């Protein structure tokens, strides 16, 4: 499966895992909507900073 | 491998493939920087509209 883990990155560059196995990612005016393969949904404040799909990593910065 | 295809979506919802096998995606003030697993690089005008990683699909809208 090709889902990713989503991390929140703070100004110090510290990463916090916010959701695993994310399938859908939809940015929306200051928020990012996430949905994982288990059907869990989460909206995180911030914007997409960087995605590295082969590493299964998506970074969201506030 | 878990890279995605990146499509540009116009206002009619028409999709055009802009790059295959994309690994890195970095949004930057009105542009989206793409890098695929072959080392090819491309910057596309627009913003990320929606990603469906299990379907290997990333949509960019102008």
């Amino acid at each position: 499966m090709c889902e990713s883990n989503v991390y929140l990155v703070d100004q110090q560059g510290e990463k916090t895992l916010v959701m695993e196995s994310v399938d859908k990612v939809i940015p929306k005016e200051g928020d990012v909507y996430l949905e994982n393969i288990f059907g869990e949904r989460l909206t995180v404040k911030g914007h997409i900073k960087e995605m590295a799909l082969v590493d299964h990593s998506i970074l969201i910065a506030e």
Side-chain angles (χ1 to χ4, degrees), chain A:
Chain A
M1 294 293 273
C2 286
E3 63 278 3
S4 273
N5 295 326
V6 174
Y7 302 88
L8 200 62
V9 187
D10 68 16
Q11 293 187 332
Q12 283 71 46
E14 205 75 29
K15 296 199 292 182
T16 310
L17 180 65
V18 290
M19 193 178 238
E20 286 183 301
S21 303
V22 172
D23 172 23
K24 292 213 167 56
V25 181
I26 304 174
K28 283 182 186 172
E29 295 166 24
D31 290 334
V32 183
Y33 169 84
L34 306 172
E35 196 174 311
N36 70 10
I37 56 168
F38 311 113
E40 295 171 333
R41 292 154 190 205
L42 190 66
T43 299
V44 178
K45 233 182 222 340
H47 62 275
I48 296 168
K49 182 181 163 73
E50 188 174 332
M51 300 193 283
L53 299 175
V54 173
D55 290 340
H56 301 261
S57 162
I58 296 175
L59 305 184
I60 294 177
E62 280 189 75

